[in-house]
Amino acid sequence: DLEMAFNDHYFEVVDVICELFEYIFENLYKNYSKEIEVVKAQYPFENFVFKTPVPRIKFSEAVELLKEEGFTQNPLKDLETENEKALGAIIKKKYETDFFLVYNYPIEARPFYSMLNPEDSNYTNSYDFFMRGEEILSGAQRVHESEMLRERAIQKGIEPETIKDYIECFRYGSYAHAGGGIGLERVLKLFLGIHNI
């Protein structure tokens, strides 16, 4: 997992994550091309393709892209697994990349500590990164104000007293920050286009 403070916008953290993955992908090809070819000889797969800048798809845009291809996706619910895979194929066709991110997920799809989108409180300042239509990282700007955190917990049905220490640690001030959890085993699996590792 990673967490990082930012100055103006949570996309500063998204930028760092994009650069991290670009570095990983470039160096896998650069330093491990022989090993990749050995795996490919036994388990044939299509080479993983990525572009810079990484395509950033707003959740509402992802819903529309799915709709255009005949898929149903509730704009206020999390992406269904089938729709994530379909979106991966749509993005591959449209942008010629296996790597992209979707941002501004609905409030229903995120935990209480995800910061609400200031332009539309039905959505959050959150993001998921995808490889070949499967999520490899989920993250968000975190709520860093104690009273807002308390209110969000109540909205999600969490008794604030049960997370009192967590809420209190923000009472004395915190930087605006964001982060995410990376599934590195999924990154390797999807980079190699295999079913499991």
Side-chain angles (χ1 to χ4, degrees):
D1 286 12
L2 65 93
E3 295 290 328
M4 180 182 130
F6 61 85
N7 293 320
D8 299 311
H9 195 276
Y10 75 98
F11 270 16
E12 294 168 41
V13 178
V14 170
D15 292 342
V16 169
I17 296 170
C18 287
E19 290 171 18
L20 169 68
F21 279 110
E22 290 164 12
Y23 179 85
I24 290 170
F25 300 150
E26 287 171 3
N27 282 283
L28 281 171
Y29 280 127
K30 180 179 169 185
N31 298 320
Y32 297 98
S33 58
K34 284 183 185 177
E35 291 85 349
I36 291 168
E37 289 305 314
V38 168
V39 173
K40 193 174 191 177
Q42 189 166 2
Y43 304 100
F45 62 88
E46 190 178 309
N47 281 346
F48 181 79
V49 179
F50 66 98
K51 283 187 160 184
T52 56
V54 176
R56 298 174 187 206
I57 313 300
K58 196 171 186 176
F59 190 88
S60 57
E61 181 186 348
V63 170
E64 286 304 311
L65 288 170
L66 287 163
K67 185 178 177 182
E68 289 170 11
E69 295 294 325
F71 293 89
T72 302
Q73 173 63 50
N74 185 328
L76 297 176
K77 299 285 183 187
D78 200 0
L79 287 173
E80 298 167 19
T81 302
E82 178 184 318
N83 286 350
E84 288 181 346
K85 291 182 180 183
L87 185 62
I90 293 166
I91 297 299
K92 175 76 179 249
K93 185 177 178 182
K94 184 172 181 169
Y95 295 100
E96 300 177 348
T97 184
D98 291 310
F99 184 61
F100 63 97
L101 71 99
V102 176
Y103 67 97
N104 278 37
Y105 273 76
I107 191 172
E108 291 292 321
R110 294 301 183 187
F112 74 97
Y113 51 80
S114 297
M115 183 67 80
L116 297 179
N117 181 322
E119 296 168 11
D120 185 345
S121 62
N122 289 312
Y123 294 89
T124 58
N125 288 352
S126 59
Y127 42 87
D128 282 355
F129 283 75
F130 293 88
M131 292 175 68
R132 301 187 197 256
E134 292 188 40
E135 176 196 321
I136 52 133
L137 179 147
S138 187
Q141 177 182 353
R142 315 305 188 188
V143 174
H144 60 278
E145 298 172 0
S146 61
E147 194 51 43
M148 184 186 298
L149 197 55
R150 184 180 179 285
E151 290 169 14
R152 291 281 296 121
I154 291 169
Q155 290 168 2
K156 285 284 192 172
I158 300 169
E159 175 54 50
E161 193 59 33
T162 64
I163 56 169
K164 181 181 175 185
D165 291 340
Y166 178 67
I167 293 171
E168 286 296 312
C169 74
F170 292 100
R171 187 166 306 284
Y172 302 102
S174 174
Y175 292 104
H177 61 286
I182 304 169
L184 285 177
E185 69 288 350
R186 297 185 91 193
V187 171
L188 181 59
K189 175 186 90 135
L190 293 164
F191 184 86
L192 296 173
I194 56 180
H195 296 293
N196 60 55
I197 54 169

